[in-house]
Amino acid sequence: MTCAVAFALACLVGVAAAETAPLRLVQTIPLAHVEGRIDHMAVDVAGQRLFVAALGNNSLEVIDLHDGKRIRSISGLREPQGVAYVTEANQIYVACGGDGEVKVYDAKSFDLVTTLRDLDDADNARYDEAAKRVFVGYGGGALAIIDATTAKLVGDIKLAGHPESFQLEQKGNRIFVNVPTAKHVAVVDREKRSVIATWPLKGAAANFPMELDEANRRLFVGCRAPAALLVLDSNSGKEVADVAIDGDTDDVFCDVKRSRIYISCGADFIDVLDCDARPPYSVTDKIPTAGGARTSLFVPELNRLYVAVPHRGDQPAEIRIYEPHDKTAN
C-alpha cells in the first residue's frame, strides 16, 4: 500500500469517526487575554448569552452565542467561582471565593446592582426558579439562601464541610450536596433548611461534580480519588454503579433525550457514557479536548455542550461548543 493510499484511508476513517461521534465540535470562541483557571458557567437561553467565571483572570466573561463572540469582560472580581442567571430579574449572580462576596449585576447594562458580603469562599451557585431563590455554597460548610426578588440574604443551611456541586430537585424539596471533606453526599430539605440524611461514599472520594436525573431517580457523583463516576439511587443513596473515568473531572451532565452522561475531565477528554434507568454503565466514547478543560455546561434547550479551555502553553483560552448527535446520525 502506498503512502498516499494509506493517508487517504486514514482520512476516510477519521471522517467516518467524526460523523458517528456522540459530540461534534461545531464552534470555537476565543477568550483572548484570559489567563488562569476557568470555573463554572451559566446561560441566558432566551438572550443567547453565556456567562463564564474566569477565576484565574478575576473576571466574568460574557459570550454572545448568536454571533459567536465575547461582548463583555467584567474585571476586578476576586476569584469568581460560581455564576447563576436569574431570568425574571435579568440579573447575574457571581460568587467570588477570594473575598467572600456575591456580586449581582444587571444583565442588560452590566452595572453592579448590589454586593452580598461575608460568604467566605463563595463557590457554586444555583437558581431555584420556582421558589425565586439563589443558593450559594460557601465557607466551612453552608448553603446561603438569597431571595432573588430582593437580592437579599434570607438564611443559610449548615453542612459538615465546604460544599462543592449541588443539585436541586424540580419536583421535590431536596437538595443533594457534595461535601468532599466529609466524604459524603448531604441530602437537604430546602423548606426545613436542614440536612435530613448523609450518604457516605465508599468507592471513591474527592467528590466535586454532580448531576441529578430526577425522572430515573439517579444521582451521578464525579470523584477524583480515584477518578470514578458513582451512580446512586436518589431515593435511598444506595450505590448502583462505579465507573472508571478520566482524571480531574469538574462537571457532569445528563442528556436525558439520548440517555447519555457527559463528563468533562481536565485530563484532556470528555467522557461519554450511554445509560438508562438501569446499570451497567460504561464509558463508550472519549472526546479529546485540552489540558485543564474540566468545566462545562450542557444546555438541552440549545442542544449544546460548552467546554471551557484555559490558556496553557500554545493552547489559547477559548470556549469550545459541541453539538450532541445520535450515534446513528449521518
Side-chain angles (χ1 to χ4, degrees):
M1 182 183 294
T2 67
C3 291
V5 172
F7 177 75
L9 287 173
C11 288
L12 288 172
V13 169
V15 169
E19 287 181 347
T20 59
L23 291 169
R24 301 179 196 172
L25 182 64
V26 294
Q27 189 177 17
T28 298
I29 300 176
L31 294 176
H33 311 299
V34 170
E35 301 296 335
R37 182 158 70 89
I38 301 174
D39 220 337
H40 298 291
M41 296 178 275
V43 69
D44 166 17
V45 172
Q48 297 277 290
R49 296 178 299 174
L50 185 71
F51 307 109
V52 183
L55 183 152
N57 201 59
N58 293 317
S59 65
L60 179 75
E61 304 300 315
V62 184
I63 309 296
D64 184 320
L65 296 173
H66 181 269
D67 292 340
K69 64 181 182 181
R70 176 175 52 186
I71 57 173
R72 191 81 175 218
S73 181
I74 300 174
S75 60
L77 303 175
R78 292 190 60 187
E79 299 182 9
Q81 300 189 96
V83 57
Y85 175 66
V86 176
T87 308
E88 298 86 349
N90 196 26
Q91 292 179 338
I92 313 160
Y93 284 66
V94 186
C96 300
D99 55 13
E101 295 184 347
V102 175
K103 295 184 178 293
V104 183
Y105 293 93
D106 181 282
K108 182 178 180 180
S109 65
F110 300 108
D111 291 337
L112 181 65
V113 175
T114 190
T115 300
L116 304 172
R117 296 181 172 85
D118 300 322
L119 297 174
D120 179 53
D121 195 15
D123 201 337
N124 279 273
R126 298 282 185 272
Y127 177 46
D128 181 348
E129 186 173 2
K132 304 295 184 289
R133 292 172 178 168
V134 175
F135 291 88
V136 177
Y138 77 99
L143 294 178
I145 307 170
I146 302 168
D147 184 334
T149 63
T150 62
K152 292 184 178 180
L153 186 67
V154 295
D156 60 19
I157 301 166
K158 300 301 181 183
L159 301 163
H162 180 78
E164 290 297 334
S165 181
F166 57 93
Q167 298 298 325
L168 313 177
E169 274 188 326
Q170 300 301 309
K171 297 181 179 179
N173 289 328
R174 294 182 300 173
I175 307 175
F176 302 96
V177 189
N178 268 334
V179 187
T181 55
K183 298 181 180 180
H184 70 218
V185 170
V187 184
V188 168
D189 185 311
R190 60 184 184 259
E191 295 306 316
K192 295 179 180 178
R193 300 184 181 182
S194 63
V195 175
I196 56 175
T198 56
W199 297 338
L201 301 179
K202 301 176 183 178
N207 48 312
F208 286 84
M210 174 190 285
E211 173 68 310
L212 174 64
D213 179 0
E214 194 167 347
N216 291 311
R217 302 185 302 279
R218 290 291 181 258
L219 190 68
F220 300 95
V221 179
C223 299
R224 299 179 186 169
L229 181 73
L230 303 184
V231 185
L232 309 183
D233 182 301
S234 63
N235 282 346
S236 66
K238 178 182 178 181
E239 183 179 310
V240 297
D242 180 344
V243 184
I245 60 173
D246 283 288
D248 196 27
T249 180
D250 208 35
D251 274 311
V252 177
F253 293 98
C254 182
D255 184 344
V256 175
K257 178 181 176 181
R258 298 175 181 86
S259 295
R260 283 196 201 129
I261 299 296
Y262 306 127
I263 310 170
S264 53
C265 303
D268 303 327
F269 291 99
I270 304 166
D271 286 0
V272 181
L273 285 76
D274 281 341
C275 66
D276 52 27
R278 300 178 181 179
Y281 301 91
S282 62
V283 175
T284 58
D285 294 271
K286 293 176 179 285
I287 310 298
T289 53
R294 67 182 190 175
T295 54
S296 59
L297 180 67
F298 177 56
V299 184
E301 297 91 340
L302 302 177
N303 195 40
R304 293 292 186 270
L305 176 70
Y306 302 96
V307 178
V309 176
H311 175 206
R312 287 189 177 182
D314 294 334
Q315 169 59 55
E318 60 191 18
I319 300 296
R320 295 186 184 178
I321 303 176
Y322 294 85
E323 181 180 23
H325 283 264
D326 296 332
K327 296 199 74 172
T328 56
N330 294 317

